[in-house]
Amino acid sequence: MPAAAFRKEKRPSIRIRPLFVLWHRWFGILAALWLALMGLTGSAVVYYDELDVWLNQDLKKVEARAEPASVELWFAAARDQFPDRFIRFVDLPGAPDDSVRLSMPSLEDDSEIEVFVDPYTAELLGSRSYDAAGLGPRNLMNFLYGLHLDLHLGDWMLWFLGLVAFFWIFDHAVSVVLSFPTARKWAASFRVRLRKGRHKFTFDLHRAMGLWLWPVTLMFAVSGLYFNWYEHVVAAVDRVSRVTERAIFALPANDEADFAPQIDFDEAFTIAGRLEGAPEVDLASYNPWKAAYELRAHDVRDIDPYGRRMIVVEANSGKVLSDRHITEGTAGDVFLAWQYPLHSGKAFGGIGRAILFVSGILVAILCITGIILWARKLGARRWRKGARRLG
């Protein structure tokens, strides 16, 4: 019997690279529109506060004076103007010339408005609806923020954008494999050839930009998944490292909402200020279904400009139910705590925000160059088919 008969039959090997090329091409085509929109609107949202102040000086800025009016007078001005609403959220002034921002949902429907008050005179400066669509100065930044959040299309779009983020994470691994065809010439993948023709320039720009942006876009993908699929991500992280549930979420809901608790916001601020370290409250919210205040205070452990020491006060007894900084706890707690500071760029101050602003624009360019490369390949393929028919 010939020796060849004893040789094992060769099985056809599966080539991974062509599969990765196919995946990357079609993911890019299908996801390009959404990623470009998220990138461009995200760049605008990075400077949400500054742009909103510039567009709405009359709402956001006041004349600084010696002493502010009492918190109760702020709220009285808002309640007098909007008696069919309650105060859910308070954003205290961060600078002497800042106004007070209140969020006031309706007692009758799902609408909610922002109300701005002069902290020194307790004068009502104006209001605007969260749901108002438009490109005018009053609503432009809220409109862009909503566009970035879910394209103003609600929960189903949140789910869809979460799916895009999930696949984008996988695509990051694929793109690295495709960007380094040979180990010896790895450095060439980071460069752009300027005098090799338009196609090579576009290809190099797409590849090099993707590699230089890779850490930032991976962060966008992971944090985007967190924001859009919050409960699923928290559950997945909890399986790896136990996650501490946010105290206000852990409280049981009452049968009826309490819109007139014995403890008001001002007293809740005072209670929080008596705690260890005399924390300065930055933001506060009231949950009528749980009859509890959640106050966010500044702390040396903060990882962005917002107060991240979360203090929960029972609204009828004044008892402090929880006092915890979001970075305390397990590795899972720390991982989740960093998602917003990283996604917004605020974890690294002005430099971090500038990097994210530019990165959002570059993500859109990355999508455009990918579409151009696909269109050229498609055109070349059709030309070859036509040439064969003619030949």
Side-chain angles (χ1 to χ4, degrees), residues 12 18 70 141 230 387:
S70 69
M141 294 314 299
Y230 174 80

Side-chain angles (χ1 to χ4, degrees), residues 272-333:
R274 294 192 190 120
L275 296 174
E276 183 181 355
E280 178 190 353
V281 175
D282 178 32
L283 310 166
S285 60
Y286 175 64
N287 188 319
W289 292 99
K290 299 187 177 184
Y293 293 97
E294 183 183 58
L295 305 105
R296 306 182 188 186
H298 289 296
D299 190 277
V300 294
R301 295 163 291 182
D302 291 345
I303 51 180
D304 62 14
Y306 301 116
R308 295 300 181 180
R309 181 175 173 179
M310 316 294 275
I311 302 164
V312 177
V313 176
E314 210 282 326
N316 287 303
S317 67
K319 180 181 178 182
V320 177
L321 302 177
S322 177
D323 179 7
R324 173 184 171 268
H325 198 273
I326 62 168
T327 59
E328 289 181 335
T330 66
D333 291 325

Side-chain angles (χ1 to χ4, degrees), residues 109-129:
D109 53 41
D110 294 332
S111 67
E112 188 165 359
I113 62 172
E114 287 181 291
V115 177
F116 299 87
V117 178
D118 187 321
Y120 300 99
T121 65
E123 174 191 359
L124 193 71
L125 301 175
S127 64
R128 63 185 180 187
S129 171

Side-chain angles (χ1 to χ4, degrees), residues 379-391:
R381 193 177 299 118
R382 287 177 176 172
W383 181 87
R384 285 195 297 269
K385 286 182 179 179
R388 287 194 201 100
R389 291 193 195 101
L390 293 174

Side-chain angles (χ1 to χ4, degrees), residues 206-267:
H206 183 78
R207 181 175 63 180
M209 191 185 304
L211 286 173
W212 285 107
L213 285 176
W214 196 90
V216 178
T217 54
L218 179 61
M219 178 275 294
F220 282 154
V222 173
S223 55
L225 184 67
Y226 165 76
F227 289 120
N228 291 306
W229 286 5
Y230 174 80
E231 293 180 357
H232 300 291
V233 171
V234 171
V237 172
D238 188 61
R239 287 181 174 273
V240 178
S241 177
R242 188 70 179 172
V243 173
T244 305
E245 188 175 13
R246 191 164 150 183
I248 194 72
F249 294 161
L251 291 177
N254 300 320
D255 294 333
E256 294 183 2
D258 185 353
F259 295 106
Q262 295 180 26
I263 304 294
D264 59 17
F265 270 100
D266 195 12
E267 198 167 349

Side-chain angles (χ1 to χ4, degrees), residues 21-44:
V21 170
L22 188 65
W23 161 268
H24 185 67
R25 182 178 300 157
W26 283 104
F27 171 77
I29 293 167
L30 297 174
L33 173 63
W34 316 107
L35 295 179
L37 276 172
M38 293 301 103
L40 293 174
T41 54
S43 289

